[in-house]
Amino acid sequence: MNLAMNSALNSTINSGMAPVATPWFFYVLAGVAVISGVLVITRRNAVHAALALIVTLLAVTGLYLMLYAPFVAGVQIIVYAGGIMVLFLFVIMLVNIDRSSKERRFNRIWAVGLGAACALLALFVFAFTKGKALFPDRGMPLAEGSNTQEIAKMLYGEAGRMGQYTFAFEIASLLLLVAILGAVIMTKKKI
Amino acid sequence: MPNFIMSYLDSKEALTPGSAGSQFWALIYVLIIFAGVSVAVIAMNWIERKLLAHFQVRLGPMRVGPHGLLQPIADAVKLMIKEDIIPAEADQLVFWFAPMIGLLAAFTVYTVIPFGPSQAVSDMNIGILFMLGVSSLGVLGIVVAGWASNSHYPLIGALRSSAQMVSYEVAMGLAVVSAILMTSLNASGTGTLSMIGIVQAQQQQGVWFIFKFFPLGLIAFAIFAIAMVAETNRAPFDLAEAESELTAGYHTEYSGLRWSLFMLAEYAAMIAVSSIAVTLWLGGWMRPFPNLLHAPAWDFIFSLFPGLTFLALAAIALIGVARMPAHSFFRIQRIGLAVFAALLGFVALLLLVIAVAGRSADMSVAGRFNDGIDHVYWFVLKVAVFMYLFIWYRATWPRYRFDQLMKIGWKVMLPISLGVLIVTAIVGVIFS
Amino acid sequence: MSAYKNDQTNDASNRALSSLDRSNLDLKTPDKTYLDSNELIINMGPQHPATHGVLRVILKLDGEKVLGTECVIGYLHRGVEKIAENRTYTMFAPYVDRMDYCAAVSNGLGYCEAVEKLMNVEAPPRAQYIRVILTELQRIASHQLWLGTHALDIGAMTPLFYTFRDREEILKIFEKYCGARLTTHAFRIGGCQYETYAGFEKDVKNFLTFFAPKIDEYEALLTTNRIWLERTKNVGVISGADCIALGVTGPVLRASGVKWDLRKAQPYAAYSKFDFEIPTGENGDTYDRYLVRMQEMRQSMRIVEQAVDAIPEGPIMGKVPKVIKPPVGEIYHSIEAPKGELGYFIVSDGSTQPYRLRVRPPSFVNLQALDLMVRGLLVADVIAVIGTIDIVLGEVDR
């Protein structure tokens, strides 16, 4: 009975079940990300912009999940939505919003904005036309079950072999350490 | 009963609805958990008021229903019909939305809490990461509420709470990592982030992680237990809503239903973080000594516990009936309490019948029900201990000051948790 | 005066006054600080859970740090001193109960003794003893109230209920004695309002045996509690010299190491007959003030114990005329109320009504020290310090 049940379950998983990652979800998440992204740069009120940015980040988290990268999604929530954005809000709340909203803003510099937009467009066009050659065209294996382990192998390596990104990872941590020290030195009046 | 349903009752080979890909059952589970948590919050409301009252030599609610049993319902009705005030100068939209953020975060966490090996909405591969991440989003609601109120006290409350959460999350995360390290001490050498996997790892290794590498597990657990109080803004770390300093902190300007959403979120978050602690260090849904005392007779004895607990509750209620004054004024209350006792007794009887019927035939319907009830019972019991602790803390301790709170977070808890993490890693390598 | 000596010199007082520089405190305009953030100016009170009444404290904050404070008082002003000018001496006696309504008996004692001194009469010994017993019980009750609310301000909820439970026993004695629990009006000019009821001594003794373990209970909750220590040690420090310069008296002064207690320094009522000590602190911080008050409760119990054992028989009223008409003159008389030196200055023009009456309320004078004590501390400490000064707004505003 056990075996029968298990095989029944397995067959459900393998064949009949529709994956959650449907195009419908993609369009919803992408739409949310784009709309809230636009809101981030159009809102005059800095707190509203920060909230819109959080929505963008969460929508992108959903996209990561759809790409079977749950670890990245989890880290995105913890680090960006949970940690960094709270600190953003912490600082923004202390700023005098009435005054800062009257100030001249960087995104009103039309020439720079136009240049940046054109560059981005050129990049997209390039990626669209030549993309096939740049990126591997084979489908990614559905690595959801061992996503975390795969990342660990890349970062730290396995059984005596250094991982692909171990060096870069350590360098990045060193950089962060320097940044922490710098922040402490800059803000602390006496150490 | 069809196999399909049976598979979710089963504890040995079954999958969670999420893992089995059944959206229908996932929805049912979500609804059950939502209702269950809401009821638990309401119950917590009553229990906290009663316990606090008894800590403080008073009776607590006594008027609405026998021993104030209906007080939470009266409170809920009151809050719902109260005027909902939005200050004129507040940021309307954000003010309106802020309580929802906290509530959403608190309830979303429950999707991965394993009440049993298959009694969870989904067994995510990154379960514990997801829990930490989503529960940390709850602070956004507080911060945004404080800012949107456009008032000084809420703003200070919001600032306090954001600084507090960010600092305590670090120590909390490191404590969690040391528990996750322990899951990797098996033949294959790979650990897991899955909540269910963590409990199963404890079962395989035959020890709750709180006792693993004594006292390393205990220290990590203690750090988590302290950080989780700070994380949920409860005494002695309730600085964000310190009523004697900031009147009511971040929810000073809130009233009525919107205010009650904050309370709902707070209690839901308390239960959620307690669930993390239970899952990571206290063996989750496992009954005491599942490996040592694994004979069927022991299984049967332990499966009687849920029924006996309800029987004890019914007995307490009956004592209450007997002790009620004979005056006619108390007649309705006495009848009400008797009905409540009868209800508890009926549940107890039901649970005992299931336990007896399900004792031998492992794969019978009753047997599977029995297993499921067992798991949920032990899980809830362990979480209840934490809930009691939360109330106990609140009754006993004064409140920390903001700078002291940060000092403890960064200068005491963080180094200790880092040290525990490193030592755990070293000890783990040596002993594996 | 007794052999009691105060070793603080005037020099020290002058130095302390100069350290109270108020010039850098501009509460009108917030200036810009780091990160373009504004300094906050917030109103604590008059409707605030922790200002012990209708005290309004304007706080100037940089983040959570207190840059300066300003107390706004007068929300409870009833013109008690002016009322005195239109009431006879006897009629005015109940009014003083409404100043420090947490220590009404002490207020009454101070007023009655001042008028007696003005008239040059003395209450008989039995009345003196009853006065001491009731006043010391009142001191315990006042300190209990202080402890409960102070602990609640710092975040410990439970002591409040414990102290109120035990304060109830004192109030029951008051109620049995004079029918009132709070605004007792227990004494009359020249003696006591009532003879003690049958069983008064037994009730008082029962209370003493009941209360001794209760103090230990409070202390078990707080004295060695780590959070309590962190919240109170080195918070709101004030030196003895500053206390004297500001006129701060009572437990606040004694916690700063100055051994000054009017019960010893210029004994009134029957205090010279009892053996008790004056607890003092060393650091002048909130924790020391807590310890001093806890010790004072124990000392008060000692006094009550001695008084109730030695209570003499005799009349309770001295030879006072029916219509009180003090001779022309003026008098200042002060007693050690639970909160500090409570003084009455009465000018008599020989009529049945005071020409002028002025009260020196301890709460009002002690409250001045708030700004000095909280500068540079955090918001939470302001609450702790307001609690530790132990003010009653009825007395501050009068």
Side-chain angles (χ1 to χ4, degrees):
Chain A
M1 188 179 171
N2 260 330
L3 277 175
M5 202 176 65
N6 273 347
S7 63
L9 275 173
N10 286 337
S11 65
T12 339
I13 293 165
N14 294 336
S15 61
M17 190 190 88
V20 182
T22 54
W24 189 82
F25 269 98
F26 170 76
Y27 286 122
V28 169
L29 288 171
V32 168
V34 168
I35 292 170
S36 52
V38 169
L39 286 177
V40 172
I41 53 170
T42 53
R43 288 294 91 188
R44 277 181 168 274
N45 190 323
V47 173
H48 289 178
L51 287 175
L53 184 54
I54 291 169
V55 176
T56 315
L57 291 171
L58 288 178
V60 172
T61 307
L63 290 177
Y64 287 148
L65 278 178
M66 285 183 61
L67 292 170
Y68 295 99
F71 185 79
V72 182
V75 169
Q76 166 101 350
I77 294 181
I78 290 185
V79 175
Y80 283 97
I84 291 181
M85 285 317 294
V86 171
L87 288 178
F88 258 47
L89 280 170
F90 186 91
V91 174
I92 291 170
M93 285 195 305
L94 288 172
V95 172
N96 189 338
I97 284 171
D98 293 336
R99 223 198 55 203
S100 62
S101 62
K102 291 190 193 89
E103 269 172 12
R104 188 179 148 80
R105 285 184 295 169
F106 180 69
N107 60 6
R108 286 290 163 82
I109 305 168
W110 286 106
V112 177
L114 207 63
C118 286
L120 193 66
L121 187 70
L123 187 69
F124 280 158
V125 171
F126 177 74
F128 189 71
T129 51
K130 304 270 180 179
K132 281 234 163 64
L134 286 174
F135 299 108
D137 56 349
R138 64 190 165 80
M140 279 290 289
L142 299 187
E144 191 186 5
S146 58
N147 179 262
T148 316
Q149 283 87 345
E150 294 298 326
I151 289 175
K153 279 174 194 162
M154 286 204 167
L155 288 183
Y156 306 112
E158 48 187 328
R161 195 169 60 79
M162 207 159 93
Q164 200 174 345
Y165 299 112
T166 307
F167 190 64
F169 182 72
E170 295 298 333
I171 291 286
S173 62
L174 199 67
L175 194 69
L176 285 175
L177 187 66
V178 171
I180 291 172
L181 289 178
V184 169
I185 288 168
M186 275 169 70
T187 51
K188 206 100 168 137
K189 282 169 191 126
K190 64 172 171 35
I191 298 168
Chain B
M1 226 176 273
N3 274 346
F4 195 61
I5 298 174
M6 292 305 301
S7 65
Y8 300 113
L9 298 171
D10 200 336
S11 57
K12 294 190 173 59
E13 294 88 5
L15 295 162
T16 59
S19 314
S22 164
Q23 286 162 25
F24 172 73
W25 278 98
L27 187 69
I28 298 280
Y29 268 48
V30 167
L31 289 178
I32 291 175
I33 288 174
F34 184 77
V37 172
S38 300
V39 169
V41 168
I42 291 171
M44 262 302 285
N45 183 322
W46 181 80
I47 291 168
E48 173 158 33
R49 289 175 71 166
K50 270 310 212 194
L51 279 179
L52 264 187
H54 284 97
F55 277 118
Q56 298 169 346
V57 291
R58 39 189 191 101
L59 288 174
M62 284 297 277
R63 293 304 174 104
V64 190
H67 289 267
L69 273 172
L70 301 177
Q71 185 72 42
I73 297 167
D75 280 352
V77 171
K78 183 204 76 170
L79 287 169
M80 270 188 262
I81 59 179
K82 260 178 99 165
E83 186 187 355
D84 182 25
I85 301 164
I86 297 184
E89 291 293 308
D91 192 314
Q92 310 267 331
L93 180 73
V94 181
F95 190 86
W96 177 84
F97 193 69
M100 321 262 180
I101 299 176
L103 202 63
L104 272 175
F107 274 96
T108 309
V109 166
Y110 285 91
T111 44
V112 290
I113 291 178
F115 295 92
S118 64
Q119 282 82 14
V121 177
S122 181
D123 177 24
M124 264 192 219
N125 177 256
I126 50 149
I128 184 67
L129 268 186
F130 177 83
M131 271 195 97
L132 286 179
V134 174
S135 67
S136 76
L137 287 185
V139 67
L140 281 176
I142 292 175
V143 171
V144 162
W147 176 81
S149 300
N150 197 6
S151 169
H152 281 149
Y153 287 119
L155 185 66
I156 295 177
L159 291 177
R160 282 180 173 188
S161 121
S162 53
Q164 176 179 336
M165 296 243 184
V166 169
S167 352
Y168 275 78
E169 218 143 70
V170 182
M172 197 178 190
L174 287 172
V176 166
V177 170
S178 77
I180 294 170
L181 270 189
M182 290 174 177
T183 62
S184 67
L185 300 173
N186 52 21
S188 71
T190 40
T192 175
L193 293 173
S194 140
M195 298 291 275
I196 289 177
I198 290 169
V199 180
Q200 281 163 346
Q202 297 182 49
Q203 189 159 21
Q204 274 169 20
Q205 300 179 22
V207 60
W208 290 2
F209 283 156
I210 187 175
F211 301 121
K212 183 97 181 170
F213 299 146
F214 190 83
L216 289 178
L218 189 64
I219 297 173
F221 168 76
I223 285 170
F224 186 90
I226 295 168
M228 80 186 195
V229 180
E231 188 82 2
T232 47
N233 271 326
R234 292 283 300 183
F237 303 113
D238 57 342
L239 294 153
E241 49 188 305
E243 73 262 26
S244 61
E245 296 155 26
L246 305 179
T247 51
Y250 62 90
H251 56 65
T252 304
E253 305 287 347
Y254 280 83
S255 62
L257 192 61
R258 225 178 291 285
W259 176 87
S260 68
L261 291 185
F262 276 120
M263 290 296 109
L264 195 58
E266 180 182 323
Y267 283 95
M270 277 161 66
I271 299 175
V273 286
S274 306
S275 305
I276 303 183
V278 166
T279 308
L280 258 58
W281 282 281
L282 298 179
W285 64 77
M286 285 189 292
R287 65 174 170 79
F289 309 111
N291 297 338
L292 206 61
L293 312 172
H294 68 282
W298 281 111
D299 279 345
F300 175 62
I301 288 172
F302 278 107
S303 71
L304 288 177
F305 270 70
L308 291 177
T309 308
F310 271 89
L311 213 57
L313 289 177
I316 292 170
L318 273 178
I319 292 171
V321 174
R323 283 181 54 185
M324 224 170 240
H327 194 275
S328 64
F329 180 77
F330 290 95
R331 210 180 62 192
I332 293 175
Q333 292 219 345
R334 202 162 49 235
I335 293 170
L337 198 57
V339 169
F340 189 64
L343 215 67
L344 288 172
F346 176 72
V347 173
L349 216 62
L350 204 69
L351 291 174
L352 287 176
V353 166
I354 289 172
V356 172
R359 75 182 183 283
S360 52
D362 240 327
M363 281 299 125
S364 71
V365 178
R368 286 174 178 171
F369 256 122
N370 188 23
D371 275 355
I373 288 167
D374 255 17
H375 295 138
V376 175
Y377 170 78
W378 287 108
F379 191 86
V380 170
L381 191 70
K382 290 169 187 172
V383 171
V385 172
F386 280 95
M387 293 291 113
Y388 180 79
L389 286 178
F390 271 117
I391 300 168
W392 193 359
Y393 297 160
R394 189 175 166 201
T396 312
W397 284 329
R399 186 181 300 116
Y400 266 114
R401 202 173 61 205
F402 184 66
D403 59 325
Q404 292 161 351
L405 180 93
M406 300 303 273
K407 199 181 81 194
I408 293 167
W410 288 107
K411 292 188 178 170
V412 181
M413 307 243 301
L414 184 61
I416 292 178
S417 59
L418 256 179
V420 167
L421 177 59
I422 292 167
V423 176
T424 308
I426 293 169
V427 173
V429 169
I430 291 171
F431 281 91
S432 68
Chain C
M1 299 279 153
S2 63
Y4 187 78
K5 189 164 149 281
N6 171 22
D7 53 5
Q8 303 290 338
T9 61
N10 280 334
D11 269 6
S13 319
N14 292 336
R15 267 207 309 281
L17 263 185
S18 62
S19 75
L20 285 175
D21 182 18
R22 288 178 157 271
S23 58
N24 62 352
L25 184 61
D26 173 20
L27 288 167
K28 299 286 185 303
T29 48
D31 13 70
K32 300 218 170 49
T33 51
Y34 190 59
L35 271 179
D36 197 18
S37 64
N38 276 340
E39 285 171 3
L40 282 180
I41 292 200
I42 64 174
N43 265 318
M44 191 173 267
Q47 310 297 335
H48 188 278
T51 53
H52 293 227
V54 282
L55 172 67
R56 175 173 163 219
V57 185
I58 303 172
L59 295 174
K60 184 175 172 181
L61 304 175
D62 173 19
E64 289 239 0
K65 206 170 127 198
V66 178
L67 299 176
T69 63
E70 192 175 298
C71 289
V72 181
I73 57 170
Y75 291 94
L76 204 58
H77 179 65
R78 291 148 298 175
V80 170
E81 290 168 3
K82 189 71 187 166
I83 291 172
E85 293 169 21
N86 298 299
R87 299 283 183 280
T88 63
Y89 287 96
T90 322
M91 279 165 75
F92 182 66
Y95 279 88
V96 297
D97 290 350
R98 273 103 183 138
M99 290 195 308
D100 182 359
Y101 38 77
C102 303
V105 176
S106 312
N107 287 8
L109 178 70
Y111 174 72
C112 293
E113 287 206 331
V115 179
E116 283 160 18
K117 219 166 161 186
L118 190 62
M119 294 168 67
N120 212 6
V121 295
E122 204 165 87
R126 181 172 172 80
Q128 302 273 26
Y129 271 72
I130 294 173
R131 282 178 170 187
V132 167
I133 292 171
L134 291 180
T135 314
E136 289 307 311
L137 286 178
Q138 181 75 79
R139 186 185 311 278
I140 294 174
S142 172
H143 282 357
Q144 280 174 328
L145 190 105
W146 159 81
L147 178 64
T149 51
H150 182 46
L152 185 68
D153 287 347
I154 292 184
M157 299 166 82
T158 307
L160 178 79
F161 294 94
Y162 285 15
T163 56
F164 269 62
R165 170 194 63 191
D166 306 335
R167 181 170 169 264
E168 198 67 14
E169 301 303 318
I170 296 177
L171 298 187
K172 273 182 197 160
I173 294 176
F174 288 168
E175 190 178 7
K176 272 175 146 178
Y177 172 71
C178 62
R181 290 154 49 87
L182 207 61
T183 46
T184 47
H185 185 35
F187 309 137
R188 272 174 79 181
I189 297 161
C192 291
Q193 184 83 343
Y194 308 100
E195 178 57 87
T196 56
Y197 58 90
F200 174 76
E201 286 91 340
K202 204 172 128 257
D203 274 1
V204 173
K205 278 181 184 162
N206 281 347
F207 170 76
L208 293 177
T209 47
F210 162 82
F211 187 56
K214 301 294 179 194
I215 300 189
D216 299 336
E217 197 176 74
Y218 307 156
E219 294 222 43
L221 266 171
L222 297 174
T223 304
T224 53
N225 185 322
R226 213 195 135 99
I227 303 178
W228 181 259
L229 288 173
E230 293 217 12
R231 280 303 303 276
T232 54
K233 279 217 160 173
N234 293 321
V235 168
V237 180
I238 186 165
S239 68
D242 280 346
C243 279
I244 292 169
L246 286 163
V248 172
T249 48
V252 183
L253 175 70
R254 291 192 281 276
S256 300
V258 182
K259 212 169 182 185
W260 178 257
D261 189 322
L262 290 174
R263 289 176 294 178
K264 286 267 193 205
Q266 42 186 40
Y268 53 92
Y271 279 109
S272 53
K273 300 191 181 77
F274 305 122
D275 175 31
F276 64 99
E277 276 148 33
I278 305 168
T280 52
E282 282 164 14
N283 310 318
D285 57 6
T286 305
Y287 185 66
D288 276 11
R289 288 188 278 275
Y290 159 77
L291 289 182
V292 163
R293 288 200 175 95
M294 296 311 270
Q295 279 308 311
E296 271 183 22
M297 283 201 250
R298 294 182 197 275
Q299 295 300 330
S300 290
M301 284 173 65
R302 261 179 81 187
I303 298 172
V304 173
E305 203 171 3
Q306 295 168 43
V308 82
D309 282 338
I311 189 164
E313 291 298 322
I316 56 157
M317 277 299 287
K319 289 194 170 50
V320 184
K322 283 266 182 283
V323 178
I324 290 171
K325 253 187 172 176
V328 179
E330 56 182 53
I331 190 81
Y332 177 78
H333 179 71
S334 56
I335 63 157
E336 187 71 27
K339 295 172 177 64
E341 179 184 342
L342 170 70
Y344 288 88
F345 178 68
I346 306 174
V347 180
S348 164
D349 56 0
S351 71
T352 56
Q353 298 170 346
Y355 176 75
R356 173 79 170 95
L357 188 142
R358 150 83 191 162
V359 185
R360 183 222 185 266
S363 296
F364 174 70
V365 180
N366 292 359
L367 187 58
Q368 291 184 91
L370 180 70
D371 185 55
L372 176 73
M373 286 155 94
V374 300
R375 278 221 196 155
L377 302 182
L378 303 180
V379 179
D381 294 327
V382 177
I383 303 299
V385 171
I386 292 176
T388 192
I389 297 177
D390 190 16
I391 49 161
V392 166
L393 264 293
E395 192 179 48
V396 173
D397 293 344
R398 302 189 296 294

